[in-house]
Each structure stands twice: as structure tokens, then as C-alpha cells.
Amino acid sequence: MTKPLRLGIAGLGTVGVGVVKIVQQQADLLALRAGRAVEITAVTARSKGKNRDVDLSGYVWEDDAVAVATRDDVDVFVELIGGDEGPAKDATEAALKAGKDVVTANKAMLAIHGQALAELAEDKARVIRYEAAVAGGIPVVKALTEGLAGNEITRVMGVMNGSCNYILTRMQDAGLSYEAVFDEANQLGFLEADPELDVGGIDAGHKLAILSSIAFGTQVDFGSVALEGIGSVTIEDINRAADMGYKIKLLGVAQMTGRGLEQRMSPCLVPERSPLGQLQGGTNMVVLEGDSVDQIVLRGPGAGEGPTASAVMGDVMDIARGTRGCVFGQPAKGLRKARAAQGSVAAPYYLRLQLVDKPGALAKVATALGDAGISIDRMRQYDHDDAAAPVLIVTHKTTRSSLDEAITAFAKTGVVTGNPVAIRIEAV
């Protein structure tokens, strides 16, 4: 008889409890699909006495994650602690050294230490699976490593943080300010304990760095992801963008250019009728572009007990069936360190300016743009008071460096008040 696959789980928060529920409630189905039973033998978490509404009495309780990771009766260590350092990393390394496979939902650990962990895993002939670390229930890692393995990937793009998408769509639907919706999201428990991980683009940036490594055969390099959060997006920007047929999204984009690998996580305008433009609430969407398939769109829940636990169990099932593979789709020691590139891909930009209401103001702005090599596609002027006139400009394609040159020149014209707002318009 085939031996059962034995799991040791570290971390019994929302996702960990979800995994326990699936193993308990779907035992027969899992055994049929894997060709062997899947069982839990040991668990650990910060507090043993906490009520988790799930029966843990049949499992050995260990006081620390390393103890779970190194038990003789654990085949797969399931790391659901989180954090890029400390117990999660220590236990993952211990599991690999002890000859265990690892399933994790820890995007921060992989984004920062992924290369070293991948080399360790492959040296020990072990696997690290991490579908749950990127876009929750969406099987995007498997899509890149398996379904699209015959493609040269040209661009990876997506909305990878449901909390930010909730905030931006709620602002537009309710006509509320960023501050009001931020407080609402925080009270509803949609944001991390440190909200900057969400609204600052850090959480989504971790995910983008992981996908970039798979897509382009490079070492994970979170440090080269250009990050800009959504804190500066105003309801005015959302409304003005809508007037022109766009939605604002916190969008991650990675593509290989002639200057190197460009990775950015920033607010962007996307056409309102595009799949990304129609994405509402806390849903995630990842767009993959390859030379043979053109464009693939994956949409689904990016967080929560069920979707994330589902992704964890998908990885467990692959291991149970004997499916192996390199951590990032290619041998870790063969992954190249990409040259980082920023601002090299040209795009149109949305500009919002406050102009002093006097003759010649627009001409001075147009001259500053022209001197930077930027041409105007369209322009709108809205109702204004006696002091300043709000003006929106959509440029033709330009680089961010040229745009920054123009914005610096605006300050010298004497006709622009306040700080101009510039948001990239991404072709989707």
C-alpha cells in the first residue's frame, strides 16, 4: 500500500485553519486524486490554547516551527507563519536540510531570500511550492511554470493586492476620499497590521518579484522593484480619469527591455472597458503575455481562508502525486542576475496641474513639455476659482525621466501651483 503523505503545519491563522479543514473534510477526495492519503501529523502556532473552531486533538503539538519541520513523521513542511526572517525562514531552512519538501504562502520570504532557498532546496533534491504566495487562489505560478512553459514571456502585469483594489473601487463607487475609505478598510480588517505593506505596494511588489523570476529566468530581485503606493491618489484623480474613459489601479508590471528587467508597482490608468478596468472589489487579476499565446487573463480571489488554503493544497497534491520541479521553473544556479532597469518603457501619462489663471499659462506649460520632448495628446480644463485653474493633460508616449524633467521645469514657469500629479497610462 502507498504510504500517506504526512504534513507538518506551522501557523494556524486563517490560512492554516483552512488547510486543516480541507484535509479533514475532503480526506476521501484527496486520497482519490493523489493516489494516496494526505494526513496531518504535527502542528504549531503562537498560542496553543486559542479557540480556532477546528479539532486539533489528533495531531502532535510542538512548541516551535523547527521542531515540526524536522520531525521524522513529517514529509512536507507547510509554512504559514509569514515574515521574511525569524521562525518562518529558520524552519524552512531546517526542513530542507532535514530532507523535507516545503509548501509555503510566504511571499516576503521568497521575494527576499528566494534564490538562496531555491539553491538549498535543489541541492537537497527537495521542492519548494508556493502557489498561495502569489494572488491567492489564482494558479498563476503553475500557469507560468507548466501551462506556458513553451512560451517566451514578454510581459507580466496585474492587480495583486485586493485591499488596494477595494479602496480604489470603493472611492469611485461611493465618491469618498482616500482617507475615508482607508479607515473603512482598516476597520473591516482588510489591511495588514502594518497597512503600508498593502497601500504602499510592498505586498504586491513581493508577488511581482516572484513572478518576474519565473517569467524571465532571473534571480528574484525585490530590491529592484520600483514601488509607489496609492496614498497620493485622490477622488479628483479617480473622477477625472473616469471622464476620459480610464480606471486607476495599483498595477504591477514586469518586462524585459533592452536596458534590463523593469519591475514596477504603481498606480496606473487602464482603459475602463479592459479586463483590468472592470476588476472590482478585492479580486485579483494577473495578465500573462507570451510569444505563442498572446495574452492570458487569470482572475480570482487573492486572499482569504478558502482561496489561499486551496492554493496550499494544490501544491500539497502535486507533491503527493510525485510531481517535482525546479523552484522557479529553471535550475536555481542557472538563474541569471538581471540588470535592473527603471523608466525605460515609454507610455502616455496623465498629468493634473493647477495653473495660475492668467494669459499665457498654458503656453508656458506646453513649452516646458516640448523642451522635454513630450507632445500633448489631449487636454481638458475644468471649472476654477479666481486663484487657480485645474488642467488635465494626456501626453503621447514618453519616458518617466523626460516627464520628470518637464515637471521640474514647471516649477520655474511661475504659473504652476502645488505639486503636479503624474500617473502612467498602461496599455492593456
Side-chain angles (χ1 to χ4, degrees), residues 13 37 44 52 55 62 74 88 102 128 138 184 242 258 263 272 279 287 294 299 323 333 341 377 383 387 391 408:
T44 190
R52 296 179 171 88
D55 183 12
E62 294 283 5
V74 166
V102 172
I128 302 174
I138 302 175
E184 178 183 285
Q263 304 177 90
E272 64 180 353
L279 191 67
V287 179
D294 191 17
R299 175 187 179 278
T323 302
K333 290 182 178 177
D377 178 33
D383 293 337
V391 174
T408 299

Side-chain angles (χ1 to χ4, degrees), residues 59-371:
Y59 315 136
V60 174
W61 181 280
E62 294 283 5
D63 290 330
D64 67 85
V66 170
V68 171
T70 55
R71 287 181 61 91
D72 290 339
D73 58 356
V74 166
D75 303 309
V76 178
F77 176 60
V78 182
E79 186 278 302
L80 302 173
I81 303 168
D84 61 288
E85 300 287 350
K89 179 171 176 284
D90 293 344
T92 297
E93 290 174 337
L96 295 171
K97 290 174 183 177
K100 318 293 185 181
D101 293 321
V102 172
V103 173
T104 180
N106 194 334
K107 52 194 166 289
M109 180 178 70
L110 291 172
I112 296 171
H113 303 292
Q115 181 63 27
L117 289 173
E119 290 187 20
L120 173 60
E122 291 169 25
D123 282 346
K124 298 293 183 179
R126 298 293 93 197
V127 298
I128 302 174
R129 305 292 296 230
Y130 50 91
E131 189 68 74
V134 183
I138 302 175
V140 60
V141 173
K142 182 168 285 192
L144 280 171
T145 57
E146 297 180 22
L148 301 179
N151 282 256
E152 179 181 354
I153 302 300
T154 54
R155 183 169 62 158
V156 174
M157 173 172 56
V159 171
M160 303 177 199
N161 184 279
S163 300
C164 287
N165 202 54
Y166 168 83
I167 289 172
L168 293 172
T169 54
R170 174 74 172 147
M171 286 172 67
Q172 179 162 12
D173 293 345
L176 297 173
S177 68
Y178 169 79
E179 291 77 15
V181 179
F182 175 92
D183 289 342
E184 178 183 285
N186 210 15
Q187 290 171 11
L188 291 170
F190 290 173
L191 299 176
E192 297 276 2
D194 177 4
E196 189 63 20
L197 292 173
D198 287 315
V199 299
I202 299 169
D203 167 86
H206 288 149
K207 300 171 186 177
L208 183 67
I210 293 168
L211 293 182
S212 293
S213 176
I214 304 169
F216 303 109
T218 59
Q219 296 181 15
V220 178
D221 186 8
F222 172 68
S224 295
V225 179
L227 295 176
E228 180 186 347
I230 63 172
S232 62
V233 177
T234 67
I235 186 61
E236 181 180 10
D237 292 320
I238 287 174
N239 290 337
R240 300 311 185 216
D243 286 347
M244 296 186 293
Y246 293 104
K247 295 285 186 69
I248 298 179
K249 301 291 181 184
L250 180 67
L251 192 66
V253 181
Q255 57 195 119
M256 190 64 71
T257 74
R259 297 183 180 180
L261 179 61
E262 182 167 321
Q263 304 177 90
R264 44 189 159 78
M265 182 64 61
S266 63
C268 291
L269 272 67
V270 298
E272 64 180 353
R273 294 186 179 275
S274 67
L276 285 164
Q278 297 178 55
L279 191 67
Q280 297 292 308
T283 309
N284 281 200
M285 180 176 286
V286 181
V287 179
L288 306 173
E289 295 177 351
D291 60 344
S292 295
V293 297
D294 191 17
Q295 187 179 87
I296 300 292
V297 178
L298 303 172
R299 175 187 179 278
E305 177 184 307
T308 311
S310 170
V312 169
M313 286 307 301
D315 285 340
V316 169
M317 292 294 281
D318 274 348
I319 294 172
R321 292 168 177 145
T323 302
R324 316 296 289 176
C326 300
V327 177
F328 293 108
Q330 300 178 36
K333 290 182 178 177
L335 296 174
R336 58 195 173 90
K337 188 170 179 59
R339 183 174 24 160
Q342 292 186 4
S344 59
V345 179
Y349 278 84
Y350 157 101
L351 278 173
R352 176 166 59 84
L353 310 171
Q354 293 285 339
L355 300 187
V356 175
D357 191 10
K358 64 181 183 182
L362 279 174
K364 290 183 178 181
V365 167
T367 297
L369 288 168
D371 289 345

